[in-house]
Amino acid sequence: QTGIALENLKHVEHLQHLEGDFLAHVSHELRTPLTVIHGIACTLAESWEAVDDGTRAELFRALIGNTTSLQSMLENVLDTVGVENGSSDIAFTAMDLSGLLRRIAARLRLLFGERSLLLEVELGLTASAEPVLIERAVENLLSNAAKYSDGSVTLRALSQDGEIVVAVSDEGPGLTSEELEHVGERFWRGRHEGGPARVLGLGLSLIRRILELHETGLEITSTPDAGSVFSFRLRAAVTADELVRDVS
């Protein structure tokens, strides 16, 4: 009993340590956009007349960019907590994956500015999955690519051996073999710490958890200074037409 009690105590201490790390990282990451937003608001409030139209427009763009980043951070925190605390018994449905991917791309296209977001999605792809969770996974992959890719980004989906492969490829800085070992760890930031915030490192962690619930995983291939490909597989759903053919 003493041994069990000690093990339980160690487990509680470990959870408390993780909770402390989580809160520390959340506080650190949220501080930057909040500081920028506050600074811009003060500048506009105190010097509205003195600021020329071009500078004012630039300040508003920075304001929008930082509020968007803040919203993305908060969504990932809430989604991670929700997925971790929720039941693993999610309801799979036969979902129109082709349509979903096209809608996501259309909604997020503004994130890429003048860069191209290319879409190579087969028509009529139907997957057995939970639509809301898959939408969040693809959103995170595209948002991540928008942050780190200097060139075009491509969203692909095709049927392959009874499965559907979904992939996001970019022309970003890429990852070394050492970095690939850490991708998806909750608070890992990689060698580009001076660049854009990695949204607490929760984005890829959330994607991995969503894919685990779908009994699949995230596959990554990357070349430093050349780009990366993030992909996953989903089970293809059996359609009504296929059932009719099987019966006949």
Side-chain angles (χ1 to χ4, degrees):
Q1 288 178 340
T2 302
I4 293 174
L6 288 173
E7 286 298 320
N8 289 337
L9 180 60
K10 289 180 182 179
H11 181 64
V12 170
E13 290 176 346
H14 178 64
L15 290 178
Q16 289 175 337
H17 178 70
L18 287 178
E19 182 179 296
D21 281 350
F22 182 79
L23 292 175
H25 279 83
V26 168
S27 300
H28 174 76
E29 295 290 351
L30 297 184
R31 186 178 294 118
T32 299
L34 284 174
T35 300
V36 174
I37 291 168
H38 182 263
I40 292 173
C42 288
T43 299
L44 292 173
E46 297 170 3
S47 310
W48 181 270
E49 298 298 336
V51 176
D52 62 80
D53 290 344
T55 302
R56 197 179 294 141
E58 185 177 342
L59 288 173
F60 273 116
R61 283 194 292 270
L63 191 62
I64 293 170
N66 278 276
T67 54
T68 301
S69 177
L70 184 60
Q71 181 182 14
S72 179
M73 290 181 190
L74 292 174
E75 285 178 351
N76 276 334
V77 170
L78 294 173
D79 285 344
T80 300
V81 172
V83 169
E84 293 294 344
N85 292 340
S87 169
S88 60
D89 297 327
I90 59 175
F92 290 167
T93 61
M95 56 174 287
D96 175 13
L97 185 61
S98 297
L100 178 68
L101 295 179
R102 292 180 183 280
R103 289 193 297 273
I104 295 172
R107 179 157 45 82
L108 299 185
R109 198 172 295 277
L110 287 176
L111 292 179
F112 295 85
E114 297 179 356
R115 295 165 297 165
S116 298
L117 173 57
L118 306 175
L119 205 58
E120 298 178 5
V121 176
E122 285 185 11
L123 296 175
L125 294 176
T126 305
S128 176
E130 204 292 317
V132 174
L133 292 181
I134 294 303
E135 182 172 6
R136 289 299 292 143
V138 175
E139 280 180 353
N140 272 279
L141 286 176
L142 287 176
S143 297
N144 199 57
K147 288 186 183 77
Y148 299 106
S149 178
D150 297 326
S152 63
V153 172
T154 304
L155 173 60
R156 294 185 175 88
L158 69 156
S159 57
Q160 189 178 87
D161 301 326
E163 295 181 312
I164 299 173
V165 180
V166 179
V168 173
S169 58
D170 63 56
E171 299 175 352
L175 297 163
T176 65
S177 57
E178 181 181 355
E179 288 174 315
L180 284 172
E181 296 178 3
H182 297 282
V183 169
E185 292 180 7
R186 187 162 290 184
F187 299 128
W188 181 77
R189 295 175 62 90
R191 62 191 160 99
H192 302 287
E193 293 190 11
R198 285 187 181 270
V199 194
L200 309 178
L202 293 177
L204 290 177
S205 175
L206 174 63
I207 293 168
R208 285 192 184 280
R209 177 58 181 149
I210 288 173
L211 296 178
E212 284 176 8
L213 293 174
H214 286 79
E215 299 180 353
T216 185
L218 183 64
E219 302 172 25
I220 307 171
T221 58
S222 188
T223 303
D225 302 317
S228 306
V229 179
F230 296 80
S231 63
F232 61 88
R233 296 170 180 268
L234 294 173
R235 288 194 298 270
V238 178
T239 65
D241 289 343
E242 289 173 327
L243 287 174
V244 169
R245 285 198 296 270
D246 289 342
V247 170
S248 61

